[in-house]
Amino acid sequence: YDTTGYLDKYVTGGCLDGITFRNVAVTGEKGEYRGEIIVRGRSATETVRNIRFENVTRFGELVTGKSPDVLVENADQVTFR
């Protein structure tokens, strides 16, 4: 997530399509860092789609679309397995 304004200033439109994250583990202890997963397109026309999370865990628990701290905005076909 870009909080610097870099994307708005230097990146023109487009979309991300067809990305798989496989066998990823967020480790450590829960605390201030929650291990958020954010899938966010820039706008309704600059989207993210066909994103797959396979065997992704946070602090030992398998991530699903209903897991805490998972945010999906301006994105289509985001799946968790």
Side-chain angles (χ1 to χ4, degrees):
Y1 179 66
D2 175 36
T3 59
T4 65
Y6 176 88
L7 290 176
D8 290 331
K9 187 173 180 181
Y10 297 107
V11 178
T12 59
C15 70
L16 291 176
D17 188 356
I19 298 173
T20 298
F21 295 90
R22 184 177 292 123
N23 300 325
V24 177
V26 175
T27 61
E29 294 182 26
K30 291 182 184 178
E32 189 173 320
Y33 173 70
R34 300 184 318 259
E36 300 94 341
I37 295 175
I38 301 172
V39 181
R40 178 183 288 149
R42 287 181 64 189
S43 69
T45 58
E46 298 172 307
T47 62
V48 175
R49 64 178 170 249
N50 297 317
I51 308 300
R52 181 184 300 189
F53 293 86
E54 295 180 1
N55 193 35
V56 174
T57 60
R58 290 175 50 237
F59 309 111
E61 297 179 13
L62 188 65
V63 175
T64 71
K66 295 181 181 181
S67 294
D69 298 316
V70 171
L71 174 65
V72 177
E73 293 180 346
N74 293 323
D76 295 310
Q77 298 176 5
V78 177
T79 60
F80 295 83
R81 297 185 180 166

